Amino acid sequence: MKNQRRDEVLEEAGKLINGDRRDQYGDDTFKAMAVMLSGYLGITVEPYQAAEIMVIVKLSRNRHKPKLDSFVDGAGYLALAAEEAFGNDDEL
């Protein structure tokens, strides 16, 4: 079967969040972002919500003109949000 766009997007997102981006930014970006947003907004923002906000940023950019890398980044941010929300525990 021909490689579908969905596979391409998810594979690239996985490579980025487990490779280059992880090396560049580390694993605590959303924790730090949540602390900063909480202070700025005066409400509690959880790390998974900080990652979700980045998805919203990507979606808002795509309103003007969709770009494949925005979909890739959005998929990656959602995967990271799930990890922040549920950890890596096998029992959900």
Side-chain angles (χ1 to χ4, degrees), residues 19-87:
D20 287 349
R21 297 301 190 274
R22 186 181 221 171
D23 293 342
Q24 289 174 357
Y25 303 118
D27 285 327
D28 65 346
T29 297
F30 299 113
K31 288 177 182 63
M33 188 175 167
V35 168
M36 290 182 221
L37 284 167
S38 294
Y40 182 76
L41 297 172
I43 60 171
T44 300
V45 176
E46 298 296 333
Y48 79 90
Q49 293 171 313
E52 291 174 337
I53 289 168
M54 294 304 297
V55 175
I56 294 168
V57 169
K58 292 298 179 174
L59 291 171
S60 68
R61 288 180 177 172
N62 268 353
R63 288 183 66 237
H64 173 67
K65 183 178 181 184
K67 289 179 64 178
L68 186 57
D69 73 301
S70 290
F71 290 103
V72 169
D73 290 345
Y77 287 133
L78 279 176
L80 294 169
E83 187 172 284
E84 289 291 348
F86 302 108

Side-chain angles (χ1 to χ4, degrees), residues 1 6 8 11 14 17-18 28 31 48 51 68 86-87 89:
M1 180 195 304
R6 66 186 82 175
E8 177 186 343
E11 287 171 20
I17 65 173
N18 292 311
D28 65 346
K31 288 177 182 63
Y48 79 90
L68 186 57
F86 302 108
D89 190 357

